[in-house]
Amino acid sequence: MEILLENLPNPFVYFIPVFAILILAEVYISYREDKELYDVKDSFASTWVGIGAAILNTLTKVYQIGFFFIIYKLFEPLREQYLGYESLGWAWWVWVLCLVGDDFNFYWHHRFCHTVRLFWAAHIVHHSSEKFNLGTAFRNGWTIFFYKPIYWMWMPALGFDPVMLALCMSFNSIYQFFLHSTLVPDIKGMNKVFNTPWVHQVHHACNVEYLDRNHGGIFIIWDKLFGTYQPREHHIAPKFGVLHPPQSHNPVKLNFHEFSDIWKDVKRAKSWEHKFKYVFYPPGWSPDGSTKTAKQMQQELEMQLNAVPVTPVSNNREQAVS
């Protein structure tokens, strides 16, 4: 296990200068063209959240890789007996499969982060900024690292080397950094297969039309396959942030305010069924409909848009008066 970790390179180290240069360039363009892409307090909040996430990611790396390694070794006899191999190896096509499989896992992990309130509580910090810029990419939740590897466990079981898997997960995260910018125009051909900054704006918007859409990491094909794709409409400008912002730049509150709100709702709930639903149903669920989920709001919006407008007819008395 120690040898495994010693031989595991960290691609992020090589990209830090690139990240820094691009953020500074975006800040400069924002200032020069008066785009207001950055806010001082918001940027400091993203920085501190990002530092905390980086520290926790480093501290949990042993746990994550160790978890993959245990699964990898545990299923080795079964692979030999039923599949005829110990490991899938390091061929180029295995790398391709690993990248695709990793992004498939990320899609479902990310989708559940938006549709299960407990997981949303861990993820909401990434969406709480009302600014959409490259600095937002580092605004990651501090608790996600503890449960995220569960979605990936089938891959080491199937024979993907834990080091290869960890590297593919890092490559996915690096790619997603470049998605967080409004300065990149619509690249229509690329949008057919890959996630792009233009498409990712939809994911970070809190417009009802855009809620819970475009969950893919590198590829956007998962959203198209599983019904969560929403193109960025030119006539609907994205409003970034969340429907109920935390009203704070404190990194601790940004990470844990939704957990606190869940606890308050659970204590107030009158039945165990409602307590369960407050935790595991989509964000916004309520037993009396006083708050609504994204799907409920989208259904109501669709009904409003499809409603046939009725022209009011004046009665005889009104006509006589006029």
Side-chain angles (χ1 to χ4, degrees), residues 64-65 67-76 79 83 85-89 93-108 148-170 172 219 222:
Q64 294 181 41
I65 303 301
F67 177 73
F68 292 150
F69 184 74
I70 290 172
I71 298 296
Y72 178 79
K73 298 302 291 185
L74 189 64
F75 280 82
E76 190 173 72
R79 291 196 299 272
L83 301 177
Y85 62 85
E86 293 183 5
S87 171
L88 287 172
W93 58 269
V94 180
W95 277 100
V96 173
L97 290 178
C98 191
L99 282 168
V100 173
D102 165 66
D103 202 62
F104 175 80
N105 299 335
F106 179 83
Y107 168 83
W108 285 107
K148 182 179 178 179
I150 295 173
Y151 295 88
W152 275 258
M153 61 187 298
W154 66 271
M155 295 187 71
L158 200 58
F160 288 97
D161 190 281
V163 173
M164 176 186 290
L165 181 54
L167 288 172
C168 287
M169 293 174 73
S170 295
N172 197 317
F219 301 106
W222 312 121

Side-chain angles (χ1 to χ4, degrees), residues 45-58:
S46 295
T47 300
W48 284 111
V49 170
I51 290 173
I55 293 172
L56 284 168
N57 187 29
T58 302

Side-chain angles (χ1 to χ4, degrees), residues 160-186:
F160 288 97
D161 190 281
V163 173
M164 176 186 290
L165 181 54
L167 288 172
C168 287
M169 293 174 73
S170 295
F171 295 147
N172 197 317
S173 297
I174 291 169
Y175 180 89
Q176 289 186 55
F177 166 82
F178 300 99
L179 299 177
H180 297 80
S181 179
T182 58
L183 300 181
V184 181
D186 184 11

Side-chain angles (χ1 to χ4, degrees), residues 314-322:
S314 302
N315 56 36
N316 293 334
R317 185 172 181 275
E318 289 174 334
Q319 291 175 350
V321 172
S322 63

